Amino acid sequence: MIESLSRSSILIPRMSALNDGSSPPQSPVTIEQRASRCFDDLFESIIVDMASECHRIARLGLDRNLEEEEEELRLSAQARMENLGSSSEYNSKNVADIFGQTHPAIPSETFDCMNCGRPVTAGRFAPHLEKCMGKGRKARPKITRSTTIARNRHARGSPVTVFAPYSTTPNNNIIPDDTPRTGGEELANYTFEKP
Amino acid sequence: MENFAHVDELNLVLQLIESGEKEKLMELLRERLIECGWRDEMRALCRAYAKKKGRNNVTVDDLVHVITPKGREKSCISVTSNFAISTSASSVPDSVKAELLLRIQSFLKSVPLDAL
């Protein structure tokens, strides 16, 4: 009812225009006013919708999780920036991580190589594997007949008798396939275990 | 009185017609506000306000005041905190408002006048 009363104030200027019986155009001011009021009504409904939605989110704490994540991201980015300020290499290796642990530059934990079964230091595991698996570097494992057979079987898919010379001479060009040849002396005690 | 007779008619007609067109206008306005980022801005404002005031102390009324553009706040400005004033909502982008107004006006013009 209040709405209709307020609308009446807009209609008053139109009264005179209706006297001739035809349908006269509404005066532009009136239409604009009415349109503006219409818009305001719509806008207000939307505002109330938004407010109640935000209220709900705030009360239920749904937004907090996102917010905290954003904050954490920002803080970690900040911390990273600050770290870059000082000597980065020193800091990245000796600074405490988020669990409060510090890690030495070269890990010293010892475990057994799953390829050859030897105990190996973690920091030296990669070079060890290079030699152990015979790929990539000059140093190659010493082969025994069983290793050669096993490797060829693996490579060709059928058991093959290979007359691989069991020697320590660095004659690497004889066998054309990828059978590894003998390398350094320290690997004399290798036994290749087929997995 | 004649005034009120016309008003009643108008009211009725408007309600009938608007029950169809009003929904479309609402949808259009909502869509435009989302597109232009107004909605996200308001959400951020509300979030900040809720954080400042304390999550459980916020009322819908507070948030309405946070979102409502400055020009429409009448006497209630001083009641809200300084924080709310300084970050009071920007009003709707002009292009959005213009589009909606145009649409409403064309709708109002298209309504058969003898029905009013």
Side-chain angles (χ1 to χ4, degrees), chain A residues 99-168:
Chain A
F99 297 111
Q101 298 170 337
T102 53
H103 299 276
I106 300 173
S108 54
E109 197 180 304
T110 303
F111 59 96
D112 292 336
C113 167
M114 52 288 295
N115 202 20
C116 62
R118 290 175 126 213
V120 72
T121 308
R124 299 292 306 164
F125 188 45
H128 165 85
L129 269 188
E130 280 174 346
K131 295 176 208 152
C132 180
M133 301 190 124
K135 289 183 184 159
R137 304 283 285 179
K138 274 200 258 181
R140 289 178 168 184
K142 179 176 168 181
I143 52 167
T144 61
R145 185 163 293 180
S146 55
T147 66
T148 315
I149 292 174
R151 194 170 278 274
N152 280 333
R153 188 176 297 156
H154 183 70
R156 303 178 195 208
S158 59
V160 173
T161 310
V162 175
F163 294 103
Y166 179 73
S167 73
T168 55

Side-chain angles (χ1 to χ4, degrees), chain B residues 8 30 37 45 48 52 60 65 69 71 74 100 103 107-108 116:
Chain B
D8 284 344
R30 270 202 201 105
L45 278 179
K52 171 120 185 184
V60 180
H65 287 128
K74 294 179 185 170
L100 262 294
R103 178 119 176 214
F107 166 75
L108 286 174
L116 296 176

Side-chain angles (χ1 to χ4, degrees), chain A residues 20-35:
Chain A
D20 57 3
S22 61
S23 35
Q26 296 180 3
S27 59
V29 177
T30 315
I31 287 191
E32 279 173 14
Q33 278 181 359
R34 289 177 65 194

